[in-house]
Amino acid sequence: NGSETCSGSLEWIIPCWQHPFGKELHSFEDRWQMCRLAFQKFGSSVVISDVEKKIGGVSYTARTIRHLQKEIPSVQWFVIVGDDVYQEKDQWKESKWLETNVQWLVVPRGKKSPIPDISGTEIRKNMSEGKPWEHWVSQEVADYGKKSVRSSA
């Protein structure tokens, strides 16, 4: 169940199974693999979880957090999002519950951002239009992404 790995500070990366706003997504397996490749340099301090695949159906953050709280109750769960996504949180299912039951870590976007100023939307758009996108990701992710784009074409 993973509880033995949650005693320290861990980051869980949870790819979306089915987007609640109907965004078209690459296959879950490809996105899970790209997350694994992107975060492999952090070793065991990052867990790439398929919990939303296991839960099934539309991926609602509140449902996922409730599931995780039930499975691993000793952990305090945080939701890490860019400030652009945080501004849209009121559109999320059960946003009021989330506001009172999880801690939010909001990462600034743009020039004030401590991370590269790029969004998954921009990467997906460039990939689908055949424009350069590889410079935004690690070499391992770029190599995998190129293979998965070719195999899905």
Side-chain angles (χ1 to χ4, degrees):
N1 70 17
S3 60
E4 67 279 355
T5 64
C6 294
S7 59
S9 177
L10 276 181
E11 302 297 327
W12 281 46
I13 307 302
I14 304 175
C16 177
W17 174 247
Q18 183 179 344
H19 200 284
F21 296 127
K23 283 186 183 177
E24 191 173 322
L25 302 171
H26 285 276
S27 77
F28 179 82
E29 289 72 23
D30 283 343
R31 292 180 293 109
W32 190 90
Q33 283 294 341
M34 286 189 273
C35 286
R36 186 186 63 76
L37 292 167
F39 289 93
Q40 69 185 356
K41 64 183 171 189
F42 298 104
S44 61
S45 65
V46 174
V47 173
I48 310 300
S49 174
D50 64 352
V51 66
E52 289 196 345
K53 177 181 179 181
K54 290 175 181 170
I55 295 171
V58 177
S59 299
Y60 295 113
T61 303
R63 184 175 71 157
T64 301
I65 294 291
R66 280 192 177 106
H67 175 85
L68 292 169
Q69 287 174 333
K70 189 175 172 182
E71 291 291 311
I72 313 169
S74 61
V75 171
Q76 180 180 7
W77 296 95
F78 291 76
V79 176
I80 304 172
V81 295
D83 62 6
D84 54 331
V85 172
Y86 186 73
Q87 299 305 316
E88 300 171 350
K89 74 181 177 339
D90 291 340
Q91 299 172 31
W92 293 14
K93 186 173 181 141
E94 299 186 72
S95 62
K96 298 286 187 226
W97 182 87
L98 286 165
E99 274 297 315
T100 58
N101 288 280
V102 298
Q103 293 285 337
W104 292 83
L105 296 176
V106 182
V107 180
R109 294 284 196 168
K111 292 181 174 142
K112 295 185 261 176
S113 181
I115 61 173
D117 186 29
I118 184 61
S119 72
T121 301
E122 289 178 85
I123 293 172
R124 286 189 300 275
K125 182 175 183 271
N126 280 23
M127 286 177 85
S128 68
E129 294 175 357
K131 294 179 180 174
W133 56 272
E134 300 88 344
H135 59 284
W136 287 318
V137 299
S138 70
Q139 186 63 53
E140 296 84 4
V141 173
D143 291 344
Y144 186 92
K146 288 175 196 173
K147 269 195 312 196
S148 70
V149 167
R150 276 197 305 271
S151 67
S152 68

